[in-house]
mmCIF file of all heavy atoms in Angstrom:
data_model
loop_
_atom_site.group_PDB
_atom_site.id
_atom_site.type_symbol
_atom_site.label_atom_id
_atom_site.label_comp_id
_atom_site.label_asym_id
_atom_site.label_seq_id
_atom_site.Cartn_x
_atom_site.Cartn_y
_atom_site.Cartn_z
ATOM 1 N N THR A 420 12.392 26.415 -16.359
ATOM 2 C CA THR A 420 12.298 27.424 -15.256
ATOM 3 C C THR A 420 11.756 28.787 -15.694
ATOM 4 O O THR A 420 10.954 29.371 -14.902
ATOM 5 C CB THR A 420 13.838 27.609 -14.701
ATOM 6 O OG1 THR A 420 14.466 26.371 -14.731
ATOM 7 C CG2 THR A 420 13.778 28.306 -13.383
ATOM 8 N N ARG A 421 12.068 29.151 -16.862
ATOM 9 C CA ARG A 421 11.628 30.459 -17.405
ATOM 10 C C ARG A 421 10.088 30.448 -17.542
ATOM 11 O O ARG A 421 9.404 31.367 -17.203
ATOM 12 C CB ARG A 421 12.357 30.761 -18.711
ATOM 13 C CG ARG A 421 11.802 32.022 -19.320
ATOM 14 C CD ARG A 421 12.473 32.043 -20.747
ATOM 15 N NE ARG A 421 13.846 32.519 -20.739
ATOM 16 C CZ ARG A 421 14.241 33.806 -20.626
ATOM 17 N NH1 ARG A 421 13.313 34.800 -20.592
ATOM 18 N NH2 ARG A 421 15.469 34.188 -20.560
ATOM 19 N N VAL A 422 9.684 29.273 -18.138
ATOM 20 C CA VAL A 422 8.238 29.199 -18.380
ATOM 21 C C VAL A 422 7.456 29.268 -17.085
ATOM 22 O O VAL A 422 6.411 29.921 -17.009
ATOM 23 C CB VAL A 422 7.825 27.915 -19.169
ATOM 24 C CG1 VAL A 422 6.398 27.846 -19.435
ATOM 25 C CG2 VAL A 422 8.616 27.868 -20.502
ATOM 26 N N ILE A 423 7.898 28.535 -16.050
ATOM 27 C CA ILE A 423 7.175 28.409 -14.793
ATOM 28 C C ILE A 423 7.175 29.757 -14.083
ATOM 29 O O ILE A 423 6.147 30.265 -13.569
ATOM 30 C CB ILE A 423 7.658 27.261 -13.928
ATOM 31 C CG1 ILE A 423 7.385 25.972 -14.668
ATOM 32 C CG2 ILE A 423 6.877 27.237 -12.606
ATOM 33 C CD1 ILE A 423 8.080 24.688 -13.945
ATOM 34 N N PHE A 424 8.337 30.340 -13.989
ATOM 35 C CA PHE A 424 8.488 31.535 -13.210
ATOM 36 C C PHE A 424 7.935 32.766 -13.954
ATOM 37 O O PHE A 424 7.341 33.645 -13.374
ATOM 38 C CB PHE A 424 9.999 31.772 -12.880
ATOM 39 C CG PHE A 424 10.451 31.145 -11.621
ATOM 40 C CD1 PHE A 424 11.214 30.053 -11.702
ATOM 41 C CD2 PHE A 424 10.082 31.688 -10.494
ATOM 42 C CE1 PHE A 424 11.704 29.390 -10.515
ATOM 43 C CE2 PHE A 424 10.468 31.117 -9.222
ATOM 44 C CZ PHE A 424 11.233 29.967 -9.325
ATOM 45 N N GLY A 425 8.195 32.782 -15.248
ATOM 46 C CA GLY A 425 7.735 33.891 -16.101
ATOM 47 C C GLY A 425 8.591 35.088 -15.869
ATOM 48 O O GLY A 425 8.385 36.138 -16.586
ATOM 49 N N GLN A 426 9.554 35.037 -15.013
ATOM 50 C CA GLN A 426 10.429 36.150 -14.795
ATOM 51 C C GLN A 426 11.905 35.688 -14.718
ATOM 52 O O GLN A 426 12.132 34.482 -14.558
ATOM 53 C CB GLN A 426 10.195 36.922 -13.457
ATOM 54 C CG GLN A 426 8.718 37.393 -13.352
ATOM 55 C CD GLN A 426 8.353 37.643 -11.876
ATOM 56 O OE1 GLN A 426 9.154 37.632 -11.039
ATOM 57 N NE2 GLN A 426 7.072 37.832 -11.663
ATOM 58 N N GLU A 427 12.769 36.609 -14.558
ATOM 59 C CA GLU A 427 14.198 36.332 -14.536
ATOM 60 C C GLU A 427 14.538 36.021 -13.038
ATOM 61 O O GLU A 427 15.168 36.809 -12.381
ATOM 62 C CB GLU A 427 14.929 37.521 -15.024
ATOM 63 C CG GLU A 427 16.334 37.153 -15.498
ATOM 64 C CD GLU A 427 17.112 38.408 -15.921
ATOM 65 O OE1 GLU A 427 17.420 39.297 -15.071
ATOM 66 O OE2 GLU A 427 17.268 38.572 -17.174
ATOM 67 N N GLN A 428 14.177 34.866 -12.526
ATOM 68 C CA GLN A 428 14.279 34.563 -11.140
ATOM 69 C C GLN A 428 15.449 33.824 -10.804
ATOM 70 O O GLN A 428 15.973 33.760 -9.666
ATOM 71 C CB GLN A 428 13.080 33.803 -10.615
ATOM 72 C CG GLN A 428 11.776 34.560 -10.536
ATOM 73 C CD GLN A 428 11.751 35.426 -9.297
ATOM 74 O OE1 GLN A 428 12.689 35.501 -8.555
ATOM 75 N NE2 GLN A 428 10.583 36.107 -9.021
ATOM 76 N N THR A 429 16.049 33.010 -11.789
ATOM 77 C CA THR A 429 17.288 32.205 -11.490
ATOM 78 C C THR A 429 18.451 32.795 -12.238
ATOM 79 O O THR A 429 18.319 33.540 -13.222
ATOM 80 C CB THR A 429 17.168 30.732 -11.902
ATOM 81 O OG1 THR A 429 16.977 30.649 -13.285
ATOM 82 C CG2 THR A 429 15.869 30.155 -11.162
ATOM 83 N N LEU A 430 19.636 32.371 -11.895
ATOM 84 C CA LEU A 430 20.897 32.870 -12.484
ATOM 85 C C LEU A 430 20.968 32.384 -13.992
ATOM 86 O O LEU A 430 21.472 33.144 -14.825
ATOM 87 C CB LEU A 430 22.025 32.497 -11.667
ATOM 88 C CG LEU A 430 23.303 33.389 -11.776
ATOM 89 C CD1 LEU A 430 22.979 34.780 -11.640
ATOM 90 C CD2 LEU A 430 24.345 32.919 -10.831
ATOM 91 N N ALA A 431 20.482 31.182 -14.203
ATOM 92 C CA ALA A 431 20.625 30.582 -15.516
ATOM 93 C C ALA A 431 19.705 31.427 -16.532
ATOM 94 O O ALA A 431 20.207 31.634 -17.643
ATOM 95 C CB ALA A 431 20.127 29.129 -15.531
ATOM 96 N N ILE A 432 18.528 31.920 -16.055
ATOM 97 C CA ILE A 432 17.673 32.715 -16.971
ATOM 98 C C ILE A 432 18.386 33.994 -17.244
ATOM 99 O O ILE A 432 18.465 34.501 -18.421
ATOM 100 C CB ILE A 432 16.346 32.977 -16.377
ATOM 101 C CG1 ILE A 432 15.626 31.682 -16.101
ATOM 102 C CG2 ILE A 432 15.429 33.775 -17.268
ATOM 103 C CD1 ILE A 432 14.306 31.728 -15.304
ATOM 104 N N PHE A 433 19.005 34.657 -16.205
ATOM 105 C CA PHE A 433 19.719 35.835 -16.346
ATOM 106 C C PHE A 433 20.934 35.678 -17.316
ATOM 107 O O PHE A 433 21.098 36.486 -18.244
ATOM 108 C CB PHE A 433 20.223 36.284 -14.960
ATOM 109 C CG PHE A 433 21.073 37.481 -14.965
ATOM 110 C CD1 PHE A 433 20.556 38.728 -15.400
ATOM 111 C CD2 PHE A 433 22.428 37.407 -14.552
ATOM 112 C CE1 PHE A 433 21.315 39.883 -15.374
ATOM 113 C CE2 PHE A 433 23.226 38.574 -14.568
ATOM 114 C CZ PHE A 433 22.715 39.815 -14.928
ATOM 115 N N ILE A 434 21.645 34.470 -17.235
ATOM 116 C CA ILE A 434 22.750 34.169 -18.054
ATOM 117 C C ILE A 434 22.236 34.130 -19.555
ATOM 118 O O ILE A 434 22.866 34.617 -20.434
ATOM 119 C CB ILE A 434 23.492 32.996 -17.636
ATOM 120 C CG1 ILE A 434 24.179 33.298 -16.377
ATOM 121 C CG2 ILE A 434 24.541 32.588 -18.606
ATOM 122 C CD1 ILE A 434 24.702 32.069 -15.632
ATOM 123 N N GLN A 435 21.136 33.375 -19.664
ATOM 124 C CA GLN A 435 20.529 33.179 -21.024
ATOM 125 C C GLN A 435 20.226 34.559 -21.688
ATOM 126 O O GLN A 435 20.484 34.771 -22.908
ATOM 127 C CB GLN A 435 19.422 32.312 -20.995
ATOM 128 C CG GLN A 435 19.014 31.756 -22.465
ATOM 129 C CD GLN A 435 17.517 31.863 -22.749
ATOM 130 O OE1 GLN A 435 16.733 32.033 -21.864
ATOM 131 N NE2 GLN A 435 17.155 31.681 -23.999
ATOM 132 N N ASN A 436 19.676 35.445 -20.913
ATOM 133 C CA ASN A 436 19.335 36.771 -21.415
ATOM 134 C C ASN A 436 20.632 37.468 -21.886
ATOM 135 O O ASN A 436 20.624 38.165 -22.816
ATOM 136 C CB ASN A 436 18.562 37.652 -20.337
ATOM 137 C CG ASN A 436 17.180 37.069 -20.247
ATOM 138 O OD1 ASN A 436 16.640 36.437 -21.129
ATOM 139 N ND2 ASN A 436 16.502 37.381 -19.152
ATOM 140 N N LEU A 437 21.705 37.400 -21.044
ATOM 141 C CA LEU A 437 22.893 38.064 -21.361
ATOM 142 C C LEU A 437 23.418 37.485 -22.664
ATOM 143 O O LEU A 437 23.933 38.182 -23.550
ATOM 144 C CB LEU A 437 23.962 37.840 -20.283
ATOM 145 C CG LEU A 437 23.732 38.686 -19.016
ATOM 146 C CD1 LEU A 437 24.778 38.218 -17.974
ATOM 147 C CD2 LEU A 437 23.972 40.111 -19.254
ATOM 148 N N ALA A 438 23.350 36.121 -22.840
ATOM 149 C CA ALA A 438 23.773 35.526 -24.064
ATOM 150 C C ALA A 438 22.989 36.007 -25.320
ATOM 151 O O ALA A 438 23.516 36.229 -26.406
ATOM 152 C CB ALA A 438 23.722 34.040 -23.951
ATOM 153 N N GLY A 439 21.642 36.168 -25.094
ATOM 154 C CA GLY A 439 20.796 36.677 -26.125
ATOM 155 C C GLY A 439 21.280 38.120 -26.529
ATOM 156 O O GLY A 439 21.031 38.498 -27.687
ATOM 157 N N GLN A 440 21.818 38.793 -25.560
ATOM 158 C CA GLN A 440 22.401 40.201 -26.010
ATOM 159 C C GLN A 440 23.731 40.174 -26.411
ATOM 160 O O GLN A 440 24.488 41.176 -26.534
ATOM 161 C CB GLN A 440 22.231 41.117 -24.768
ATOM 162 C CG GLN A 440 20.803 41.253 -24.269
ATOM 163 C CD GLN A 440 20.729 41.671 -22.809
ATOM 164 O OE1 GLN A 440 21.741 42.060 -22.221
ATOM 165 N NE2 GLN A 440 19.550 41.539 -22.138
ATOM 166 N N TYR A 441 24.361 39.022 -26.640
ATOM 167 C CA TYR A 441 25.706 38.768 -27.026
ATOM 168 C C TYR A 441 26.714 39.296 -25.983
ATOM 169 O O TYR A 441 27.866 39.723 -26.364
ATOM 170 C CB TYR A 441 25.985 39.297 -28.378
ATOM 171 C CG TYR A 441 25.132 38.620 -29.500
ATOM 172 C CD1 TYR A 441 23.920 39.247 -29.930
ATOM 173 C CD2 TYR A 441 25.418 37.325 -29.816
ATOM 174 C CE1 TYR A 441 23.169 38.572 -30.831
ATOM 175 C CE2 TYR A 441 24.632 36.679 -30.716
ATOM 176 C CZ TYR A 441 23.536 37.292 -31.235
ATOM 177 O OH TYR A 441 22.654 36.595 -32.054
ATOM 178 N N ARG A 442 26.318 39.299 -24.793
ATOM 179 C CA ARG A 442 27.302 39.806 -23.706
ATOM 180 C C ARG A 442 27.897 38.516 -23.132
ATOM 181 O O ARG A 442 27.680 38.177 -22.000
ATOM 182 C CB ARG A 442 26.554 40.578 -22.649
ATOM 183 C CG ARG A 442 26.139 41.934 -23.293
ATOM 184 C CD ARG A 442 25.051 42.551 -22.419
ATOM 185 N NE ARG A 442 25.676 43.189 -21.293
ATOM 186 C CZ ARG A 442 24.823 43.603 -20.249
ATOM 187 N NH1 ARG A 442 23.522 43.542 -20.386
ATOM 188 N NH2 ARG A 442 25.318 44.326 -19.190
ATOM 189 N N ILE A 443 28.619 37.771 -24.041
ATOM 190 C CA ILE A 443 29.049 36.336 -23.714
ATOM 191 C C ILE A 443 30.111 36.365 -22.456
ATOM 192 O O ILE A 443 29.947 35.533 -21.634
ATOM 193 C CB ILE A 443 29.713 35.681 -24.922
ATOM 194 C CG1 ILE A 443 28.770 35.758 -26.063
ATOM 195 C CG2 ILE A 443 30.149 34.253 -24.618
ATOM 196 C CD1 ILE A 443 27.419 35.063 -26.026
ATOM 197 N N ASP A 444 31.019 37.336 -22.545
ATOM 198 C CA ASP A 444 32.022 37.278 -21.390
ATOM 199 C C ASP A 444 31.395 37.545 -20.025
ATOM 200 O O ASP A 444 31.661 36.763 -19.118
ATOM 201 C CB ASP A 444 33.102 38.356 -21.712
ATOM 202 C CG ASP A 444 32.500 39.666 -22.166
ATOM 203 O OD1 ASP A 444 31.310 39.792 -22.325
ATOM 204 O OD2 ASP A 444 33.278 40.664 -22.098
ATOM 205 N N LEU A 445 30.429 38.435 -20.049
ATOM 206 C CA LEU A 445 29.719 38.629 -18.659
ATOM 207 C C LEU A 445 28.910 37.376 -18.387
ATOM 208 O O LEU A 445 28.904 36.948 -17.156
ATOM 209 C CB LEU A 445 28.784 39.865 -18.905
ATOM 210 C CG LEU A 445 28.526 40.596 -17.579
ATOM 211 C CD1 LEU A 445 29.842 41.003 -16.855
ATOM 212 C CD2 LEU A 445 27.674 41.870 -17.938
ATOM 213 N N ALA A 446 28.185 36.794 -19.403
ATOM 214 C CA ALA A 446 27.432 35.630 -19.140
ATOM 215 C C ALA A 446 28.299 34.484 -18.545
ATOM 216 O O ALA A 446 27.964 33.756 -17.597
ATOM 217 C CB ALA A 446 26.771 35.118 -20.387
ATOM 218 N N ILE A 447 29.489 34.420 -19.110
ATOM 219 C CA ILE A 447 30.460 33.383 -18.524
ATOM 220 C C ILE A 447 30.876 33.582 -17.132
ATOM 221 O O ILE A 447 30.972 32.779 -16.320
ATOM 222 C CB ILE A 447 31.712 33.272 -19.557
ATOM 223 C CG1 ILE A 447 31.261 32.535 -20.835
ATOM 224 C CG2 ILE A 447 32.771 32.492 -18.942
ATOM 225 C CD1 ILE A 447 32.318 32.361 -21.847
ATOM 226 N N PHE A 448 31.054 34.874 -16.871
ATOM 227 C CA PHE A 448 31.428 35.276 -15.412
ATOM 228 C C PHE A 448 30.344 34.716 -14.494
ATOM 229 O O PHE A 448 30.677 34.080 -13.500
ATOM 230 C CB PHE A 448 31.633 36.774 -15.226
ATOM 231 C CG PHE A 448 31.840 37.178 -13.759
ATOM 232 C CD1 PHE A 448 32.974 36.977 -13.242
ATOM 233 C CD2 PHE A 448 30.745 37.605 -13.078
ATOM 234 C CE1 PHE A 448 33.143 37.263 -11.847
ATOM 235 C CE2 PHE A 448 30.831 37.932 -11.799
ATOM 236 C CZ PHE A 448 32.051 37.742 -11.150
ATOM 237 N N TYR A 449 29.073 34.977 -14.838
ATOM 238 C CA TYR A 449 28.022 34.522 -13.915
ATOM 239 C C TYR A 449 27.873 32.996 -13.965
ATOM 240 O O TYR A 449 27.445 32.322 -12.973
ATOM 241 C CB TYR A 449 26.721 35.168 -14.321
ATOM 242 C CG TYR A 449 26.709 36.693 -13.944
ATOM 243 C CD1 TYR A 449 26.681 37.705 -15.050
ATOM 244 C CD2 TYR A 449 26.848 37.122 -12.651
ATOM 245 C CE1 TYR A 449 26.713 38.997 -14.709
ATOM 246 C CE2 TYR A 449 26.955 38.533 -12.388
ATOM 247 C CZ TYR A 449 26.840 39.434 -13.409
ATOM 248 O OH TYR A 449 26.941 40.684 -13.092
ATOM 249 N N GLU A 450 28.280 32.425 -15.138
ATOM 250 C CA GLU A 450 28.210 30.945 -15.226
ATOM 251 C C GLU A 450 29.203 30.381 -14.215
ATOM 252 O O GLU A 450 28.917 29.256 -13.590
ATOM 253 C CB GLU A 450 28.526 30.590 -16.696
ATOM 254 C CG GLU A 450 28.650 29.034 -16.894
ATOM 255 C CD GLU A 450 29.681 28.670 -17.857
ATOM 256 O OE1 GLU A 450 29.732 29.229 -18.951
ATOM 257 O OE2 GLU A 450 30.494 27.786 -17.454
ATOM 258 N N MET A 451 30.292 31.065 -14.030
ATOM 259 C CA MET A 451 31.378 30.623 -13.083
ATOM 260 C C MET A 451 30.722 30.474 -11.587
ATOM 261 O O MET A 451 31.063 29.637 -10.935
ATOM 262 C CB MET A 451 32.524 31.516 -13.059
ATOM 263 C CG MET A 451 33.407 31.464 -14.303
ATOM 264 S SD MET A 451 34.179 29.840 -14.525
ATOM 265 C CE MET A 451 33.508 29.347 -15.966
ATOM 266 N N ILE A 452 29.822 31.402 -11.353
ATOM 267 C CA ILE A 452 29.188 31.386 -10.001
ATOM 268 C C ILE A 452 28.447 30.083 -9.975
ATOM 269 O O ILE A 452 28.382 29.441 -8.925
ATOM 270 C CB ILE A 452 28.321 32.688 -9.784
ATOM 271 C CG1 ILE A 452 29.242 33.860 -9.847
ATOM 272 C CG2 ILE A 452 27.596 32.577 -8.489
ATOM 273 C CD1 ILE A 452 28.517 35.264 -9.751
ATOM 274 N N LEU A 453 27.624 29.832 -11.056
ATOM 275 C CA LEU A 453 26.807 28.637 -11.057
ATOM 276 C C LEU A 453 27.626 27.416 -10.899
ATOM 277 O O LEU A 453 27.320 26.447 -10.288
ATOM 278 C CB LEU A 453 25.905 28.619 -12.290
ATOM 279 C CG LEU A 453 24.651 29.392 -12.323
ATOM 280 C CD1 LEU A 453 23.941 29.133 -13.586
ATOM 281 C CD2 LEU A 453 23.814 29.137 -11.164
ATOM 282 N N LEU A 454 28.752 27.421 -11.636
ATOM 283 C CA LEU A 454 29.697 26.246 -11.620
ATOM 284 C C LEU A 454 30.143 26.059 -10.258
ATOM 285 O O LEU A 454 30.245 24.895 -9.713
ATOM 286 C CB LEU A 454 30.896 26.641 -12.586
ATOM 287 C CG LEU A 454 31.611 25.364 -13.062
ATOM 288 C CD1 LEU A 454 30.771 24.539 -13.945
ATOM 289 C CD2 LEU A 454 32.807 25.817 -13.779
ATOM 290 N N LEU A 455 30.499 27.110 -9.536
ATOM 291 C CA LEU A 455 30.920 27.002 -8.150
ATOM 292 C C LEU A 455 29.815 26.360 -7.272
ATOM 293 O O LEU A 455 30.049 25.496 -6.422
ATOM 294 C CB LEU A 455 31.325 28.392 -7.690
ATOM 295 C CG LEU A 455 32.342 28.465 -6.466
ATOM 296 C CD1 LEU A 455 33.642 27.872 -6.993
ATOM 297 C CD2 LEU A 455 32.452 29.865 -5.891
ATOM 298 N N CYS A 456 28.649 26.858 -7.445
ATOM 299 C CA CYS A 456 27.419 26.357 -6.714
ATOM 300 C C CYS A 456 27.378 24.875 -7.056
ATOM 301 O O CYS A 456 27.006 24.032 -6.148
ATOM 302 C CB CYS A 456 26.205 27.088 -7.052
ATOM 303 S SG CYS A 456 26.133 28.749 -6.674
ATOM 304 N N GLY A 457 27.538 24.562 -8.331
ATOM 305 C CA GLY A 457 27.313 23.153 -8.737
ATOM 306 C C GLY A 457 28.347 22.259 -8.054
ATOM 307 O O GLY A 457 27.939 21.122 -7.601
ATOM 308 N N ILE A 458 29.538 22.656 -7.923
ATOM 309 C CA ILE A 458 30.575 21.922 -7.254
ATOM 310 C C ILE A 458 30.263 21.715 -5.832
ATOM 311 O O ILE A 458 30.308 20.617 -5.276
ATOM 312 C CB ILE A 458 31.981 22.518 -7.425
ATOM 313 C CG1 ILE A 458 32.333 22.459 -8.993
ATOM 314 C CG2 ILE A 458 33.080 21.911 -6.618
ATOM 315 C CD1 ILE A 458 33.556 23.386 -9.328
ATOM 316 N N LEU A 459 29.802 22.802 -5.153
ATOM 317 C CA LEU A 459 29.406 22.761 -3.793
ATOM 318 C C LEU A 459 28.247 21.800 -3.667
ATOM 319 O O LEU A 459 28.350 20.927 -2.641
ATOM 320 C CB LEU A 459 28.887 24.145 -3.363
ATOM 321 C CG LEU A 459 29.888 25.081 -2.868
ATOM 322 C CD1 LEU A 459 29.287 26.439 -2.503
ATOM 323 C CD2 LEU A 459 30.626 24.693 -1.662
#
Side-chain angles (χ1 to χ4, degrees):
Chain A
T420 320
R421 178 188 282 276
V422 181
I423 298 175
F424 274 103
Q426 301 161 11
E427 202 182 70
Q428 289 277 8
T429 67
L430 205 53
I432 302 176
F433 177 63
I434 292 170
Q435 194 225 347
N436 284 343
L437 285 175
Q440 298 157 17
Y441 298 103
R442 294 160 75 188
I443 306 297
D444 47 351
L445 207 55
I447 287 180
F448 171 78
Y449 292 115
E450 179 216 309
M451 288 296 120
I452 298 173
L453 277 187
L454 200 66
L455 205 68
C456 294
I458 294 168
L459 275 176

